[in-house]
């Protein structure tokens, strides 16, 4: 009897395994390339919420990891990207990369790095090493944000009682919520959007300035790395878009008047997985398209969450109540209330992020990859 059951059981297991492998080969063909499933793809699950297991596993794959790792290794060795990008990212020539006079050895030109650049590179190595070693998936990272992001610096392990996250959508100009925004204990603003002249609509109070590293690079071009339009002491929290932007961080961190806090890479990875899941879910279920086409339709390696999305996620971890303003769009409103930009960036999937915000308000238990231990604060979205 046992001899008959074992072969049958083994055959069934082989069939199941073959079907699993085949499904992922189909899913990854064309848009996702080939990959090896990581060990941490099992999402933190909440009871009575159905999630697409295939999309969970695909969302857990970081297509840009190899490229980022290569860039970081080259930077750690002192090899910068091509010369054009080198001039661009090192603050428009404010830091000399080579000595004014190149030396030669037996007729062969030798580039000698300037002491200023060498000191900056040593600082860069230290920062990169500490940042990259945190590159791992940690579903309970949300519960640690209040300790990882201490802004102001003397506010340790204490959450804000209420936070207003102010986006930059032109819909802000349709209502006068300025006083309501300023009534929150903390106000988080995005990418240095100006408030002057718009106070009735967006308020004037700023507790945290949340930016991406592209914004820091623009600030690094200015004397003193001036990047504090909301006041000299308003803390700045930023996430890194490209590893080479750490040059700007290393250059500005020591001299910048307001604190510069880089988000933990574990937090960045969590945000990436969540947005990718919602994007692929909308693409396949609402768009009725094959998951194979998702990569090419969303910019492949360039796909990324928006600054606004991560600012909301930050508020969830450091605030007891969260109010969201200026997220969304309408045909009668500009893309940004303070600029004339009308088009959205294709590397972001705003519609998928709107689905995420809807779940934050109505059913946070449906949001994947976040540990069951994390207690979501109440969220209100003002349109």
């Amino acid at each position: 009897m046992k001899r008959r059951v074992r072969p049958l059981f083994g055959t069934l297991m082989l069939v199941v395994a073959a079907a699993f492998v085949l499904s992922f080969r189909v899913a990854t063909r064309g848009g996702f390339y080939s990959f090896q499933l990581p060990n941490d793809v099992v999402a933190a699950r909440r009871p009575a919420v159905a999630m697409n297991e295939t999309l969970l596993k695909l969302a857990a794959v970081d297509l840009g990891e190899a490229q980022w790792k290569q860039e970081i290794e080259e930077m750690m060795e002192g090899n910068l990207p091509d010369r054009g990008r080198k001039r661009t990212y090192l603050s428009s020539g404010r830091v000399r990369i080579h000595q004014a006079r190149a030396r030669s050895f037996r007729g062969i030109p030798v580039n000698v790095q300037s002491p200023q650049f060498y000191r900056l590179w040593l600082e860069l190595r230290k920062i990169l090493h500490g940042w990259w070693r945190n590159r791992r998936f940690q579903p309970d990272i949300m519960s640690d944000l209040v300790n990882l992001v201490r802004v102001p610096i003397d506010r340790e392990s204490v959450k804000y009682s209420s936070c207003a996250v102010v986006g930059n959508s032109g819909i802000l100009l349709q209502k006068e919520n300025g006083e309501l925004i300023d009534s929150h204990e903390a106000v988080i603003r995005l990418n240095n959007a100006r408030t002057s002249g718009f106070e009735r609509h967006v308020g004037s109070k700023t507790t945290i300035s949340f930016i991406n590293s592209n914004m820091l690079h623009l600030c690094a071009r200015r004397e003193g790395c001036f990047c504090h339009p909301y006041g000299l002491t308003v803390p700045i929290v930023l996430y890194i878009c490209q590893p080479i932007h750490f040059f700007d961080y290393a250059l500005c961190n020591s001299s910048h008047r307001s604190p510069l806090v880089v988000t933990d890479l574990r937090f960045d990875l969590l945000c990436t997985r969540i947005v990718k899941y919602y994007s692929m879910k909308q693409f396949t279920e609402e768009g009725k398209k094959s998951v194979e086409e998702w990569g090419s339709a969303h910019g492949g390696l360039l796909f990324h969450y928006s600054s606004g999305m991560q600012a909301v996620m930050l508020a969830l971890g450091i605030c007891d109540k969260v109010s969201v303003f200026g997220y969304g769009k309408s045909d009668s409103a500009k893309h940004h209330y303070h600029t004339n930009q009308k088009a959205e960036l294709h590397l972001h999937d705003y519609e998928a992020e709107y689905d995420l915000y809807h779940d934050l308000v109505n059913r946070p238990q449906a949001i994947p990859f976040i540990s069951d231990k994390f207690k979501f604060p109440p969220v209100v979205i003002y349109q």
Side-chain angles (χ1 to χ4, degrees), residues 8 26 35 37 73 76 129 133 151 234 303 318 322:
L8 178 60
V26 172
F35 64 87
L37 290 178
E73 289 177 348
M76 293 282 283
H129 181 266
R133 69 182 178 185
V151 285
V234 173
F303 177 78
I318 66 175
V322 177

Side-chain angles (χ1 to χ4, degrees), residues 39-91:
N39 296 324
D40 57 10
V41 295
V42 180
R45 305 308 304 273
R46 294 179 174 83
V49 177
M51 297 185 186
N52 189 312
E53 296 290 342
T54 299
L55 298 186
L56 285 172
K57 291 181 171 63
L58 290 173
V61 177
D62 184 2
L63 298 177
E65 179 183 5
Q67 179 178 330
W68 276 54
K69 184 178 180 180
Q70 179 180 352
E71 288 187 25
I72 290 174
E73 289 177 348
E74 291 176 354
M75 290 167 62
M76 293 282 283
E77 295 174 357
N79 299 322
L80 299 181
D82 64 84
R83 189 173 180 181
R85 288 184 62 189
K86 188 188 304 181
R87 287 199 304 268
T88 300
Y89 288 108
L90 284 179
S91 308

Side-chain angles (χ1 to χ4, degrees), residues 229-342:
Y230 309 118
L232 298 179
T233 60
V234 173
I236 296 176
V237 178
L238 70 146
Y239 70 90
I240 300 298
C241 301
Q242 302 178 52
I244 198 168
H245 286 173
F246 270 115
F247 272 111
D248 297 303
Y249 175 77
L251 178 66
C252 295
N253 189 40
S254 59
S255 61
H256 205 265
R257 292 197 180 187
S258 57
L260 291 177
V261 181
V262 176
T263 56
D264 193 288
L265 190 51
R266 293 168 293 179
F267 179 47
D268 298 353
L269 288 176
L270 176 66
C271 292
T272 298
R273 291 189 179 197
I274 292 173
V275 171
K276 283 179 66 177
Y277 177 83
Y278 275 91
S279 181
M280 289 188 291
K281 185 173 184 292
Q282 185 182 84
F283 189 77
T284 56
E285 295 181 4
E286 298 181 22
K288 305 298 182 183
K289 297 180 181 180
S290 170
V291 70
E292 303 173 22
E293 305 173 61
W294 179 86
S296 58
H298 289 84
L301 296 177
L302 297 178
F303 177 78
H304 198 65
Y305 53 81
S306 69
S307 301
M309 179 271 177
Q310 193 170 24
V312 170
M313 295 296 292
L314 174 67
L316 296 177
I318 66 175
C319 310
D320 288 328
K321 296 179 181 179
V322 177
S323 301
V324 179
F325 300 84
Y327 282 59
K329 60 182 179 179
S330 72
D331 295 335
S332 59
K334 298 186 296 183
H335 182 56
H336 290 157
Y337 74 87
H338 58 100
T339 71
N340 292 322
Q341 179 181 344
K342 296 181 180 179

Side-chain angles (χ1 to χ4, degrees), residues 160-180:
Y160 294 101
S161 60
S162 63
C163 293
V165 183
V166 186
N168 296 335
S169 172
I171 64 173
L172 281 166
L173 301 181
Q174 298 175 352
K175 294 184 178 180
E176 297 184 359
N177 284 325
E179 290 187 8
L180 176 59

Side-chain angles (χ1 to χ4, degrees), residues 106-118:
R106 295 184 178 177
I108 302 176
V110 177
N111 289 323
V112 180
Q113 293 176 343
S114 69
Q116 186 183 13
F117 173 78
Y118 184 72

